[in-house]
Amino acid sequence: MKELIRKADILLEALPYIKKFWGRTVVIKYGGSAMVSDNLRSKFAEDIILLRYIGIKPVIVHGGGPQIGQTLAKMGKETKFVRGHRVTDEETMDVVEMVLGGKVNKEIVALIQKHGGKAVGLTGKDGGLFYAEKILIEGARVGDGPPEIIDPGRVGRVTRVHPEVIHRLDEGNFIPVIAPVGVDADGNTYNINADSVAGSLASALKAEKLLLMTDVPGITDEKGQLVSSLNRKTLQEMVADGVVHGGMIPKVEAATAALDGGVMKVHIVDGRVDHAVLLEIFTQTGIGTEILP
Ligand SMILES: Nc1ncnc2c1ncn2[C@@H]1O[C@H](COP(=O)(O)OP(=O)(O)OP(=O)(O)O)[C@@H](O)[C@H]1O
Ligand SMILES: [Mg+2]
């Protein structure tokens, strides 16, 4: 009996959060490490389905860096990274689209369906969800000179979002699962960092939250200590000082875009933790780093 009452208490603890977030959208970037083990994949799917059933609207944007890397390796093709972006030539772009929009996307859709949810996979191309343009990347400063400008090939950023297709899916209680592949007005396809896509969508959908799942406990400071809460300004300083670098940079940019667009909070969450999504949304302190305006 006591055990049962304890269960009721646990459910009730979630009530304030359910009330607050009911009917609201939460954009979740599902990243590399949380995708690797069967256990974590199942827990992730359960969390997402639970959110949907209690009236919160999850929108999933996924990465797939490791899966792209594996496929390219099988083909004997190497790629390099600049500031967290994969340098993408035409041939690599084809592989990226096949792996992200095909294999990885459909695996996540099937995973959610298997656990009893309804999911539909999309890229930016589907329903004109988002459009992209090519980016150039600012590299390191050479001496006193200006920073080196690097052309990463078919790497883009989101220029426009047309959320209509998401609203249509929502009406049918479908969970959108989005691969970070977009197209420009001329029909060129671009590989976009999944964090950036998640940031742009969170902003366009006026999401309550943006959750970026990753392979570390959160953002760490210069001493390697986890920072549980910080604002945009502190984050910019950490980027300038080089404390935040590599794959964390697109997350910072995504967080900034989302907060600029009116998203209330951005969370960087450890995807290696069981039920990371539920822990972040339904507990007071959360588990990772929260970024506030
Ligand atoms: N200050 C920092 N705090 C935490 N991580 C940092 C920091 N600066 C750089 N990083 C790096 O950012 C990485 C996370 O980005 P990364 O792109 O590698 O993974 P991901 O985005 O979670 O997965 P994927 O890109 O495969 O979807 C961490 O593993 C860490 O090495
Ligand atoms: Mg990344």
Side-chain angles (χ1 to χ4, degrees), residues 59-114:
V59 172
I60 316 297
V61 180
H62 61 85
Q67 292 91 331
I68 295 168
Q70 280 161 20
T71 308
L72 288 168
K74 274 187 208 153
M75 299 169 69
K77 231 179 129 58
E78 262 184 47
T79 48
K80 62 171 193 175
F81 284 84
V82 198
R83 288 174 78 82
H85 297 281
R86 181 189 299 276
V87 176
T88 308
D89 61 19
E90 300 271 327
E91 197 189 20
T92 304
M93 187 61 240
D94 284 345
V95 177
V96 169
E97 189 169 21
M98 285 189 271
V99 174
L100 288 184
K103 191 160 192 319
V104 177
N105 187 273
K106 288 342 167 206
E107 271 172 13
I108 300 168
V109 168
L111 178 74
I112 294 173
Q113 292 281 147
K114 185 181 136 196

Side-chain angles (χ1 to χ4, degrees), residues 29 31-32 63 65 81 84 193-195 213-214 246-248 250-251:
K29 190 277 182 132
F81 284 84
N193 182 282
D195 300 319
M213 299 178 81
T214 186
M248 199 50 75
K251 292 188 208 307

Side-chain angles (χ1 to χ4, degrees), residues 29 31-32 66 195 213-216 218-220 243-245 247-248 251:
K29 190 277 182 132
D195 300 319
M213 299 178 81
T214 186
D215 58 357
V216 286
I219 296 181
T220 43
V243 176
V244 165
H245 54 89
M248 199 50 75
K251 292 188 208 307

Side-chain angles (χ1 to χ4, degrees), residues 173-185:
N173 292 318
F174 289 99
I175 298 166
V177 177
I178 300 157
V181 171
V183 71
D184 69 13

Side-chain angles (χ1 to χ4, degrees), residues 55-263:
I56 299 171
K57 304 168 184 175
V59 172
I60 316 297
V61 180
H62 61 85
Q67 292 91 331
I68 295 168
Q70 280 161 20
T71 308
L72 288 168
K74 274 187 208 153
M75 299 169 69
K77 231 179 129 58
E78 262 184 47
T79 48
K80 62 171 193 175
F81 284 84
V82 198
R83 288 174 78 82
H85 297 281
R86 181 189 299 276
V87 176
T88 308
D89 61 19
E90 300 271 327
E91 197 189 20
T92 304
M93 187 61 240
D94 284 345
V95 177
V96 169
E97 189 169 21
M98 285 189 271
V99 174
L100 288 184
K103 191 160 192 319
V104 177
N105 187 273
K106 288 342 167 206
E107 271 172 13
I108 300 168
V109 168
L111 178 74
I112 294 173
Q113 292 281 147
K114 185 181 136 196
H115 283 84
K118 296 202 294 176
V120 171
L122 311 157
T123 70
K125 295 179 179 181
D126 296 282
L129 176 58
F130 55 85
Y131 285 85
E133 70 180 10
K134 181 184 175 70
I135 59 164
L136 295 172
I137 298 168
E138 258 189 32
R141 233 167 241 287
V142 205
D144 289 340
E148 183 193 3
I149 300 295
I150 301 153
D151 180 350
R154 287 302 189 91
V155 179
R157 66 178 185 92
V158 174
T159 50
R160 282 179 292 141
V161 178
H162 300 285
E164 193 198 343
V165 61
I166 303 290
H167 299 318
R168 294 287 159 271
L169 291 176
D170 175 45
E171 286 163 13
N173 292 318
F174 289 99
I175 298 166
V177 177
I178 300 157
V181 171
V183 71
D184 69 13
D186 298 326
N188 300 306
T189 301
Y190 293 94
N191 176 17
I192 311 171
N193 182 282
D195 300 319
S196 325
V197 172
S200 302
L201 284 172
S203 169
L205 292 167
K206 304 266 169 269
E208 177 73 28
K209 279 177 189 293
L210 168 63
L211 244 71
L212 301 167
M213 299 178 81
T214 186
D215 58 357
V216 286
I219 296 181
T220 43
D221 63 16
E222 66 286 352
K223 294 184 200 112
Q225 302 272 16
L226 177 69
V227 184
S228 48
S229 183
L230 78 184
N231 62 20
R232 262 182 292 187
K233 191 166 166 284
T234 313
L235 206 49
Q236 296 308 339
E237 286 162 12
M238 289 171 85
V239 173
D241 296 344
V243 176
V244 165
H245 54 89
M248 199 50 75
I249 300 227
K251 292 188 208 307
V252 170
E253 289 167 356
T256 306
L259 293 168
D260 285 344
V263 175

